[in-house]
Amino acid sequence: MSLDPSTLISSFLALPRNRLSPSGSVSNTWYYSIRHVPITPPGSVLFLLNPASGYVHVEGPLPPASDTESLAVRANIVALLLMKSFVGSLGGATSVGRPWEWKTDDAEMAGAVGECLKGMGIGEGLEAVDIVGEEERRRAEEEWGKFLRGLVQVVDNPESSA
């Protein structure tokens, strides 16, 4: 899905927003971080996790030169990928709506992404990116490890994933 930024923003703002996930059983809170993928060719992705359910979504890859860009440029890329993730229903067939809140473990990036979202007209608290707690951070590391091991296995043994 490739949308221009104004269409992406309006599509994101049109999504419903609920405190609970569509299942109604867990919080609609999402953790995100930029993660390096050490396979050929190496790159970075936006990793999203709902800590309460363990649901993982990965968006990207990020543009190859994004590692060397300014914080403002990287924050803009992250903000757009966050919205793209939810507009695209996190890769599923059913809309999950907008998150209730999102968190990250990078305070500098949290502030920059929040400012970027605010500048794009995103409000209702989503322009305020919180810092994740220790338990959620551990869960994110665990889920990223599982995802990465699975990805490496598929890349190393493509026949086993068929």
Side-chain angles (χ1 to χ4, degrees):
M1 168 188 307
S2 179
L3 300 172
D4 67 271
S6 62
T7 301
L8 184 60
I9 293 165
S10 62
S11 297
F12 180 77
L13 289 171
L15 294 172
R17 183 168 176 247
N18 296 300
R19 190 175 293 272
L20 296 176
S21 70
S23 70
S25 61
V26 297
S27 170
N28 195 10
T29 298
W30 291 85
Y31 163 87
Y32 73 86
S33 64
I34 297 173
R35 300 291 178 127
H36 182 71
V37 179
I39 59 174
T40 303
S44 297
V45 295
L46 182 70
F47 172 71
L48 291 111
L49 169 70
N50 179 298
S53 69
Y55 187 86
V56 168
H57 177 73
V58 175
E59 198 69 54
L62 276 68
S66 63
D67 291 348
T68 60
E69 294 289 352
S70 69
L71 178 62
V73 169
R74 290 191 328 265
N76 187 64
I77 292 168
V78 168
L80 292 171
L81 287 176
L82 284 169
M83 289 186 286
K84 180 180 178 228
S85 296
F86 289 91
V87 168
S89 302
L90 299 170
T94 305
S95 174
V96 296
R98 287 181 288 157
W100 189 256
E101 66 179 338
W102 30 44
K103 299 178 178 186
T104 190
D105 52 12
D106 182 336
E108 185 178 41
M109 182 61 82
V113 168
E115 285 299 313
C116 196
L117 290 166
K118 185 177 180 181
M120 293 175 177
I122 307 300
E124 299 181 85
L126 287 176
E127 76 285 3
V129 179
D130 291 330
I131 301 301
V132 72
E134 193 55 42
E135 183 178 328
E136 292 168 315
R137 183 188 327 264
R138 278 194 301 274
R139 177 79 189 261
E141 291 303 321
E142 177 184 312
E143 294 299 332
W144 172 251
K146 288 179 192 176
F147 173 82
L148 190 57
R149 283 188 299 277
L151 180 63
V152 168
Q153 182 178 7
V154 168
V155 169
D156 288 346
N157 303 304
E159 300 83 33
S160 68
S161 65

